[in-house]
């Protein structure tokens, strides 16, 4: 379904998360601001009370707003219910702060507007999808438009067990088949997990199709914008012994600033608003969600400068100049600047850098900094310029050194 919708609508092929882990990436999605700007530069840091989210903008534009699924933007000690004053513009609420700690594959528990525990039937992907379809159905005859954010956890490692639990029967469907050589070479429980991981992805793809089917059956498909993207790259965590997905020819994964940790799918269905059946090669990041959706719907932007940009011109034309001269990241000890096909990856712990030509080397295997010293120095300068800006902004808000 994802491939089918991508072919029929607009696929932004060079799309990146702004952060390679859950909480910081979600803060960027919601606010259009760098994680260092909001202060949410690692997991378990809540959004600041004065944060303005995409839901605020839509609510003020007359939309009914809803959130279903994993939130992960409240404080560390809260696993389940999120207080009403910490939902940042979402009126309808059926969510859990850290869904992996309040649910399992066949035990989905979330919390409603009154913080009451709600146990939903079925496999977790289906339970979240059913809840989303019920919400969409409730809005079909409403006089006001709606904005719904659906946040799945799959395909995520189930934290309390060493497993990627798929629906019954799906693990068997994908176990024992051909395994790409790079995954086959991994040790640990990789082979054990692949069938489950693939099964999770398959069920998520089916759920995405169900959402589009629901819109079509309710007569909403031609007047609804549907955007699909991920908060970060695939999992390959130590706690999963190397299990999880892959993104060949790219390397890296969740928690890294390699392409495999930063590249995410970005599919946009917006009949009459963007071209159908086209691919865009200009870069985009999850920071761009808020300003782009505001433009497409007429909702007002927050009264402050955003770090994301409006992608309307890029979506309209594959030859439009990208609004991003370069892209910048900082996470833990690492930093990245990407401009055109050049990417520099720095490590502040030992003050080293590596330069990659992604056109020739998408897997980031060959450091060519010693052959391209001018470009290396140029990108270091771009990083220093950017870091001075975000650090000044962060310290002005009292966030300290991210």
């Amino acid at each position: 379904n994802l491939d089918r919708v991508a072919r029929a609508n607009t696929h932004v092929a060079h799309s990146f998360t702004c952060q390679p882990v859950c909480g910081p990436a979600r803060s960027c999605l919601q606010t259009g601001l760098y994680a260092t700007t909001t202060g949410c530069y690692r997991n378990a840091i809540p959004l600041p009370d004065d944060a303005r989210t995409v839901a605020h903008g839509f609510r003020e534009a007359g939309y009914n707003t809803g959130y279903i699924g994993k939130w992960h933007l409240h404080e560390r000690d809260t696993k389940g219910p999120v207080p009403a004053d910490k939902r940042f513009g979402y009126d309808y609420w059926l969510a859990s702060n850290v869904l992996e700690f309040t649910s399992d594959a066949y035990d989905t528990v979330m919390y409603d507007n009154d913080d009451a525990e709600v146990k939903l039937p079925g496999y977790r992907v289906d339970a979240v999808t059913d809840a989303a379809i019920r919400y969409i159905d409730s809005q079909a005859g409403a006089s006001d438009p709606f904005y719904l954010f659906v946040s799945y956890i799959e395909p995520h490692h189930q934290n309390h067990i060493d497993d990627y639990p798929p629906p019954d029967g799906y693990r068997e469907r994908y176990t024992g088949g051909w395994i790409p050589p790079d995954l086959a070479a991994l040790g640990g429980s990789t082979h054990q997990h692949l069938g489950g991981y693939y099964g999770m992805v398959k069920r998520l793809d089916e759920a995405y199709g169900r959402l589009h089917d629901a819109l079509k059956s309710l007569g909403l498909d031609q007047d609804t914008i549907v955007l699909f993207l991920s908060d970060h790259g695939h999992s390959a965590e130590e706690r999963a012994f190397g299990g999880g997905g892959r993104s060949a020819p790219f390397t890296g994964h969740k928690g890294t600033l390699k392409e495999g940790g930063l590249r995410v799918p970005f599919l946009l269905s917006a009949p009459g608003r963007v071209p159908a059946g086209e691919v865009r090669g200009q870069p985009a990041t999850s920071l761009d969600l808020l300003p782009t959706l505001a433009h497409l719907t007429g909702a007002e932007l927050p009264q402050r400068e955003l770090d994301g940009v409006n992608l309307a011109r890029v979506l309209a034309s594959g030859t439009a100049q990208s609004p991003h001269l370069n892209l910048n990241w900082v996470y833990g000890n690492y930093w990245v600047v990407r401009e055109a096909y050049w990417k520099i990856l720095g490590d502040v712990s030992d003050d080293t850098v590596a330069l990659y030509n992604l056109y020739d080397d998408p897997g980031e295997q060959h450091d060519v900094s010693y052959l391209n010293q001018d470009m290396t120095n140029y990108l270091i300068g771009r990083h220093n310029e950017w870091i001075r800006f975000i650090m000044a902004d962060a310290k002005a808000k009292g966030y300290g050194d991210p």
Side-chain angles (χ1 to χ4, degrees):
N1 290 298
L2 288 165
D3 288 344
R4 173 180 57 82
V5 172
R7 288 191 297 267
N9 294 278
T10 302
H11 176 204
V12 182
H14 287 80
S15 176
F16 303 88
T17 180
C18 47
Q19 286 282 289
V21 291
C22 306
R26 291 163 184 270
S27 74
C28 301
L29 276 170
Q30 293 295 332
T31 66
L33 300 172
Y34 285 118
T36 44
T37 305
T38 62
C40 303
Y41 51 84
R42 57 172 171 76
N43 281 337
I45 297 179
L47 278 176
D49 290 340
D50 62 350
R52 290 273 304 173
T53 70
V54 61
H56 286 125
F58 278 115
R59 186 169 68 178
E60 291 167 7
Y63 282 68
N64 297 323
T65 61
Y67 195 98
I68 297 173
K70 177 178 177 177
W71 178 241
H72 212 176
L73 287 172
H74 194 41
E75 47 89 19
R76 178 182 294 275
D77 293 334
T78 299
K79 307 303 182 187
V82 176
D85 63 344
K86 303 297 183 183
R87 298 172 190 165
F88 294 92
Y90 289 99
D91 297 319
Y92 175 84
W93 189 263
L94 184 61
S96 179
N97 187 46
V98 192
L99 186 57
E100 58 266 39
F101 286 110
T102 68
S103 67
D104 206 332
Y106 282 94
D107 184 22
T108 304
V109 174
M110 297 192 289
Y111 299 83
D112 64 14
N113 283 73
D114 299 321
D115 290 339
E117 180 179 297
V118 179
K119 181 174 171 59
L120 301 172
Y123 181 67
R124 185 167 47 200
V125 168
D126 302 329
V128 172
T129 304
D130 292 344
I133 291 174
R134 286 193 294 270
Y135 178 83
I136 293 169
D137 186 42
S138 74
Q139 298 296 310
S143 57
D144 295 325
F146 72 91
Y147 165 70
L148 174 64
F149 196 107
V150 183
S151 178
Y152 294 98
I153 187 174
E154 283 78 11
H156 194 288
H157 185 257
Q158 187 63 42
N159 288 32
H160 67 283
I161 55 175
D162 175 25
D163 197 17
Y164 291 86
D168 289 348
Y170 278 57
R171 190 190 307 273
E172 296 78 5
R173 185 186 305 183
Y174 296 105
T175 297
W178 177 82
I179 300 177
D182 56 329
L183 290 186
L186 295 177
S189 55
T190 297
H191 293 232
Q192 168 191 328
H193 285 314
L194 283 175
Y197 190 90
Y198 293 163
M200 280 182 160
V201 172
K202 177 62 175 177
R203 192 62 152 231
L204 184 62
D205 182 80
E206 293 170 344
Y208 180 70
R210 288 184 58 210
L211 290 172
H212 278 277
D213 288 345
L215 290 170
K216 186 173 183 177
S217 71
L218 294 168
L220 299 174
D221 57 316
Q222 295 302 304
D223 195 34
T224 302
I225 297 171
V226 182
L227 176 64
F228 178 92
L229 72 166
S230 177
D231 53 351
H232 50 67
H234 70 81
S235 172
E237 300 160 270
E238 289 183 12
R239 65 187 180 200
F241 301 98
R246 73 192 288 259
S247 55
F250 310 117
T251 57
H253 47 77
K254 171 185 175 181
T256 75
L257 295 183
K258 293 280 194 172
E259 293 293 283
L262 297 177
R263 285 189 179 240
V264 293
F266 187 127
L267 315 179
L268 180 66
S269 170
R273 292 177 173 84
V274 299
E278 297 193 8
V279 177
R280 294 291 175 261
Q282 302 95 320
T285 84
S286 46
L287 290 166
D288 305 330
L289 170 69
L290 192 159
T292 302
L293 288 181
H295 172 84
L296 292 173
T297 61
E300 290 204 11
L301 291 169
Q303 296 301 307
R304 65 153 296 160
E305 184 176 353
L306 297 176
D307 297 318
V309 298
N310 177 11
L311 297 174
R313 292 183 179 179
V314 167
L315 295 174
S317 171
T319 61
Q321 182 176 355
S322 171
H324 294 289
L325 173 61
N326 50 58
L327 301 175
N328 295 269
W329 289 268
V330 59
Y331 178 70
N333 289 328
Y334 299 96
W335 59 268
V336 160
V337 180
R338 177 178 171 142
E339 186 166 324
Y341 51 80
W342 292 105
K343 176 178 178 178
I344 191 168
L345 173 62
D347 182 350
V348 298
S349 67
D350 57 10
D351 200 27
T352 58
V353 298
L355 181 71
Y356 302 105
N357 181 327
L358 296 176
Y359 183 83
D360 297 326
D361 179 28
E364 299 169 86
Q365 299 294 312
H366 307 291
D367 175 15
V368 295
S369 57
Y370 63 98
L371 295 174
N372 298 273
Q373 196 60 54
D374 288 345
M375 178 56 66
T376 300
N377 291 336
Y378 167 74
L379 293 177
I380 290 173
R382 298 296 301 190
H383 167 70
N384 290 337
E385 179 183 336
W386 179 75
I387 207 73
R388 282 193 294 269
F389 166 76
I390 64 164
M391 289 295 289
D393 194 44
K395 288 182 176 179
K397 293 178 173 65
Y399 299 147
D401 292 337

